[in-house]
Structure formats: C-alpha cells, structure tokens
C-alpha cells in the first residue's frame, strides 16, 4: 500500500483548513465556540424581547455559584471586567428584580449583592432552554454517533496532556 492510498480514504479537510495539528486545534476551537455561542443565543432569543444579555446571565451565574452575597469588586474579578461595568449590570438586574443590594454586615461602607428568587428562576429557565438546544442538536446524530462524540469529548476533557 502506498502513502497515496491512505489519502484517498481520509476525509478532505474542511475548506480553508489544512492538515496540520494547529489547523485542527483551530478548527476545534472555532467549532466549539460557534456551537456554544449559537446555543446561548438561541436560549436568550427564546426568552423573548425582554430576555437577558449573555453578560447579564454570566453575572447572575457568578452569584448563583457563591456561598453568599458578594461585593461588586468580587463579581467584577470573577467576570474579569472593570467594576464600573458590573455596577451597570447590577443596576439593570436590580431593576428587573433579579438581584438585591444589601448592607455588608462587616463594613457599613460596603454593599453586597445577592440573587433573588426571580434571579434563580431566570437562571433555571435559561439552563433548561440551553439543555433543549443541546438536545436538539444531539438529535441530529444517531445514538452511536452521540455515544462516540461524548466518549471522545470525555477523553479530551480528562486528558491533562495535549
């Protein structure tokens, strides 16, 4: 068997993508980014015209995953954004009833923010809609393809070495 025989059976690379490892990693990153972005957008769009922006949902998730109320500076650090941009997100979320400001019991000058029940409900709804979007995409695959995809992703996620 000559080296050219293998080339005839290998699938052609995607348009604009070469055969190098860097090209494969770029394509994987691009595909994952597009897939996740599309899932987030679909979930946000399904919430209707008053739906929350992805950045707002990220802020609410930070609050959801903490042990208690947080200072705005901690939220800004977790989001890797300037504190002033968190202030505007908190203002909007507070106006929508998704978060509330409370006094810091250890420092009267500071304010904490916490998620409200309405904020938790919104996050549950967004999560359910994202899961529906993923399930719809997985439905495009056969059961064997889904199992193979998940097995391969588990290998990539669990392997600490490239």
């Amino acid at each position: 068997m000559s080296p050219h025989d293998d080339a005839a059976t290998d699938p052609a690379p995607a348009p604009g993508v070469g055969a190098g490892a860097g090209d494969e990693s770029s394509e994987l990153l691009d595909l994952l980014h597009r897939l996740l972005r599309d899932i987030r957008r679909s979930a946000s769009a399904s919430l209707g015209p008053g739906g929350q922006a992805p950045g707002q949902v990220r802020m609410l998730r930070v609050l959801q995953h903490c042990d208690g109320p947080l200072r705005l500076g901690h939220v800004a650090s977790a989001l890797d954004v300037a504190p002033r941009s968190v202030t505007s997100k908190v203002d909007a979320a507070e106006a929508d009833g998704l978060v509330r400001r409370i006094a810091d019991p250890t420092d009267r000058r500071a304010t904490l923010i916490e998620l409200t029940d309405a904020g938790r409900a919104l996050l549950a709804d967004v999560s359910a809609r994202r899961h529906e979007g993923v399930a719809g995409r997985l439905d495009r695959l056969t059961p064997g393809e889904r199992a193979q995809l998940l097995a391969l992703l588990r290998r990539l996620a669990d392997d600490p070495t490239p």
Side-chain angles (χ1 to χ4, degrees), residues 52-66 75 79 89 93-94 98-99 114-116 118-120 122-123 126:
Q52 301 299 311
Q56 184 84 332
V57 173
R58 273 187 67 220
M59 182 200 65
L60 296 175
R61 286 202 188 287
V62 166
L63 294 171
Q64 181 184 39
H65 295 295
C66 66
V75 175
L79 294 173
K89 286 183 186 347
E94 186 177 36
L98 304 173
V99 300
E114 66 181 358
L115 206 53
T116 63
R120 285 187 216 356
L122 176 91
L123 288 174
V126 168

Side-chain angles (χ1 to χ4, degrees), residues 7-127:
T9 60
D10 286 342
V17 177
D23 293 333
E24 289 173 344
S25 64
S26 294
E27 183 180 13
L28 175 63
L29 288 171
D30 180 55
L31 291 169
L32 290 173
H33 176 75
R34 285 177 26 208
L35 177 64
L36 293 173
R37 182 192 63 223
D38 289 349
I39 290 167
R40 283 191 302 266
R41 283 184 179 166
S42 294
S44 293
S46 68
L47 292 173
Q52 301 299 311
Q56 184 84 332
V57 173
R58 273 187 67 220
M59 182 200 65
L60 296 175
R61 286 202 188 287
V62 166
L63 294 171
Q64 181 184 39
H65 295 295
C66 66
D67 293 333
L70 293 178
R71 289 186 181 190
L72 277 96
H74 288 107
V75 175
S77 293
L79 294 173
D80 196 26
V81 298
R84 69 182 166 275
S85 66
V86 170
T87 300
S88 62
K89 286 183 186 347
V90 170
D91 289 344
E94 186 177 36
D96 291 341
L98 304 173
V99 300
R100 74 176 135 258
R101 286 181 165 94
I102 58 174
D104 185 334
T106 62
D107 183 351
R108 294 184 333 185
R109 299 168 295 165
T111 301
L112 303 173
I113 55 171
E114 66 181 358
L115 206 53
T116 63
D117 289 341
R120 285 187 216 356
L122 176 91
L123 288 174
D125 191 27
V126 168
S127 181

Side-chain angles (χ1 to χ4, degrees), residues 39 43 61 124-138:
I39 290 167
R61 286 202 188 287
D125 191 27
V126 168
S127 181
R129 291 172 190 270
R130 285 182 179 175
H131 283 277
E132 289 170 8
V134 170
R137 288 169 188 271
L138 286 174

